[in-house]
């Protein structure tokens, strides 16, 4: 994977070219002070939050009991954390959100904060104000990776290109996870399609996979093939209830992009893809391989769930940190010895 491929997958690069085939969006330059705030590794204090309105407690059904007064601390030693404010940027974001219908899906040049949805009050990436966006961004490892290591998997030794970071605001649409698909293109040929939400079983996908495959292939040939900047790339699409296909995003062809139901080894070599092509005997010979979750028995937990837990817990559960596992076993053994004694 080359750095140029990563650059070409930035939202602001491909959006003007495919604007009529994707969701309406607005691109705003990200000021340096906002970037610094997002990378600030301190206590999470969300900027852009509006003051909460004060509410007077009303009497309920003639209940004249006096309400308990809340005593606030006036200790001079108490430190009040305040977030920096960005009035000009906040105004632009507010205007953009309003023009997009009042609710947006936020992302940076490449990534959306999908790993941080759990921290939002609505457990969603649906944002209505700047504070909603900041909360998700400051809690997301995906966003941090965009800001600090955008070329981490690139194998060329050329200097890192200069980047202009941007806040992408996309009009909020209620998308059904079972209608999203990831498509892999090699040498301008669509070679494979994967169910996007591979952790769940969707009966309609299994029943309609040949039709879905042909529909996406037709869309690719008409709107994308030979029009994107590279020969090798990945793109995500959404197929609505009317059978129309919409572009969701473009990603580099490499490890930085989740290969879902494939491995990058087989996508690069193409050998196993050719062997599996017999699965689609009913499909056209030139149709890409299509994979989906075929049974409830193969349903898995969401890969984003691990981001809710402390990293130590995740390492222990997956066995990735041997030393932590040994320490845990020693601790358990000591507890057992104490109980026996």
């Amino acid at each position: 994977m080359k750095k140029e491929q990563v650059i070409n997958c930035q939202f602001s690069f491909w959006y003007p070219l495919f604007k009529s085939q994707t969701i309406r969006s607005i691109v705003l330059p990200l000021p340096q002070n906002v970037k610094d705030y997002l990378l600030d590794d301190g206590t999470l204090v969300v900027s852009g939050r509006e003051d909460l309105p004060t509410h007077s407690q009303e009497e309920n059904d003639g209940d004249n009991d006096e309400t308990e007064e809340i005593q606030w601390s006036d200790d001079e030693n108490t430190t009040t954390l305040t977030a920096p404010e960005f009035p000009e940027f906040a105004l632009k974001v507010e205007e953009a959100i309003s023009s997009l219908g009042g609710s947006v899906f936020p992302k940076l040049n490449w990534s959306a904060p999908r790993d941080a949805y759990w921290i939002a009050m609505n457990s969603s990436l649906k944002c209505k104000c700047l504070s909603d966006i900041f909360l998700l961004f400051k809690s997301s490892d995906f966003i941090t990776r965009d800001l600090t290591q955008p070329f981490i998997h690139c194998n060329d030794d050329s200097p890192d290109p200069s980047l202009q970071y941007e806040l992408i605001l996309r009009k909020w649409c209620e998308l059904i996870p079972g209608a999203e698909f990831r498509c892999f293109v090699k040498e301008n040929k669509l070679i494979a399609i994967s169910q996007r939400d591979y952790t769940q079983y969707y009966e309609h996908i299994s029943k309609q996979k040949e039709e879905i495959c042909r529909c996406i292939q037709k869309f690719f040939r008409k709107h994308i093939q030979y029009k994107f900047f590279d020969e090798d790339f990945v793109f995500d699409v959404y197929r609505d209830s009317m059978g129309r296909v919409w572009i969701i995003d473009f990603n580099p062809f490499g490890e930085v992009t989740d290969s879902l139901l494939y491995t990058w080894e087989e996508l690069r070599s193409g050998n196993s893809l050719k062997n599996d092509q017999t699965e689609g005997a009913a499909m056209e010979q030139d149709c890409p391989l299509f994979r989906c979750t075929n049974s409830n028995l193969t349903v898995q937990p969401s890969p984003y769930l691990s981001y809710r837990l402390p990293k130590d817990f995740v390492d222990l559960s997956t066995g990735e940190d041997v030393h932590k596992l040994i320490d845990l076993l020693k601790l358990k053994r000591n507890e057992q010895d104490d109980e026996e004694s």
Side-chain angles (χ1 to χ4, degrees):
M1 188 173 66
K2 306 298 182 182
K3 294 176 182 178
E4 184 181 5
Q5 292 177 279
V6 176
I7 290 293
N8 290 339
C9 287
Q10 292 184 97
F11 184 87
S12 60
F13 273 52
W14 65 260
Y15 180 68
L17 192 61
F18 301 99
K19 191 173 183 178
S20 60
Q21 282 82 46
T22 190
I23 299 169
R24 183 168 168 246
S25 307
I26 293 177
V27 179
L28 298 175
L30 194 72
Q32 182 61 42
N33 58 349
V34 175
K35 177 186 173 184
D36 294 340
Y37 166 66
L38 294 177
L39 290 174
D40 180 42
D41 191 20
T43 305
L44 179 58
V45 183
V46 179
S47 176
R49 185 176 300 280
E50 297 178 358
D51 293 333
L52 297 176
T54 57
H55 297 279
S56 59
Q57 184 172 358
E58 299 179 355
E59 295 180 358
N60 296 323
D61 298 328
D63 186 1
N64 294 323
D65 293 340
E66 295 182 358
T67 59
E68 182 180 355
E69 293 184 359
I70 301 175
Q71 299 294 328
W72 299 100
S73 172
D74 56 358
D75 187 353
E76 294 181 357
N77 296 325
T78 301
T79 302
T80 303
L81 298 175
T82 58
E85 299 296 334
F86 315 98
E88 293 183 6
F89 180 68
L91 180 60
K92 292 179 181 178
V93 172
E94 182 182 348
E95 291 174 348
I97 293 176
S98 177
S99 68
L100 291 172
S103 299
V104 296
F105 174 92
K107 60 178 295 182
L108 283 187
N109 299 36
W110 297 279
S111 303
R114 295 181 183 276
D115 57 326
Y117 75 93
W118 56 271
I119 202 170
M121 293 295 291
N122 56 1
S123 295
S124 167
L125 298 183
K126 184 178 183 178
C127 296
K128 295 187 175 183
C129 59
L130 182 58
S131 63
D132 294 343
I133 298 171
F134 277 155
L135 178 62
L136 290 170
F137 278 19
K138 285 185 69 66
S139 306
S140 171
D141 289 343
F142 293 177
I143 294 298
T144 301
R145 184 190 65 191
D146 266 19
L147 294 171
T148 59
Q149 298 177 310
F151 307 109
I152 186 172
H153 292 290
C154 296
N155 53 20
D156 51 337
D157 297 327
S158 61
D160 289 352
S162 60
L163 295 172
Q164 171 59 59
Y165 281 97
E166 297 162 327
L167 172 63
I168 316 300
L169 301 176
R170 314 206 70 185
K171 182 179 175 62
W172 180 261
C173 300
E174 295 289 347
L175 302 183
I176 303 171
E180 292 185 71
F181 302 93
R182 174 154 289 179
C183 309
F184 301 87
V185 178
K186 186 179 181 182
E187 297 177 355
N188 272 319
K189 181 180 179 181
L190 181 58
I191 61 171
I193 301 173
S194 173
Q195 171 183 331
R196 184 73 176 84
D197 184 19
Y198 68 94
T199 63
Q200 302 298 316
Y201 169 68
Y202 297 97
E203 184 177 1
H204 73 278
I205 295 181
S206 296
K207 290 182 177 180
Q208 304 173 15
K209 59 182 179 181
E210 294 180 7
E211 178 186 348
I212 293 171
C213 188
R214 282 194 295 265
C215 185
I216 294 177
Q217 174 79 318
K218 181 180 178 181
F219 177 83
F220 168 72
R221 288 174 174 170
K222 182 178 180 180
H223 297 290
I224 299 177
Q225 192 174 29
Y226 306 117
K227 296 179 181 178
F228 193 67
F229 310 104
D230 299 305
E231 292 185 345
D232 303 339
F233 57 93
V234 180
F235 67 97
D236 295 334
V237 295
Y238 182 83
R239 185 172 180 265
D240 63 25
S241 58
M242 303 298 292
R244 183 174 178 182
V245 178
W246 300 86
I247 297 173
I248 299 298
D249 205 359
F250 284 91
N251 297 284
F253 191 90
E255 282 78 2
V256 70
T257 303
D258 193 340
S259 57
L260 303 180
L261 293 174
Y262 299 91
T263 65
W264 276 112
E265 182 180 356
E266 62 183 345
L267 287 169
R268 286 198 182 91
S269 65
N271 294 330
S272 59
L273 300 184
K274 294 178 181 178
N275 296 334
D276 289 349
Q277 198 68 35
T278 54
E279 295 178 359
M283 298 182 184
E284 300 176 9
Q285 186 175 1
D286 196 32
C287 195
L289 183 63
F290 186 95
R291 286 183 184 173
C292 61
T293 302
N294 293 314
S295 167
N296 278 319
L297 299 177
T298 57
V299 168
Q300 308 170 43
S302 169
Y304 301 126
L305 290 178
S306 62
Y307 291 97
R308 297 185 179 191
L309 302 172
K311 191 175 187 302
D312 288 350
F313 285 18
V314 178
D315 291 341
L316 285 173
S317 65
T318 58
E320 291 183 2
D321 193 320
V322 178
H323 298 292
K324 290 178 183 176
L325 183 59
I326 293 174
D327 290 341
L328 178 63
L329 294 175
K330 287 181 178 179
L331 180 62
K332 288 293 184 182
R333 182 177 178 178
N334 292 337
E335 290 179 353
Q336 291 177 357
D337 292 343
D338 293 340
E339 292 176 357
E340 292 175 358
S341 61

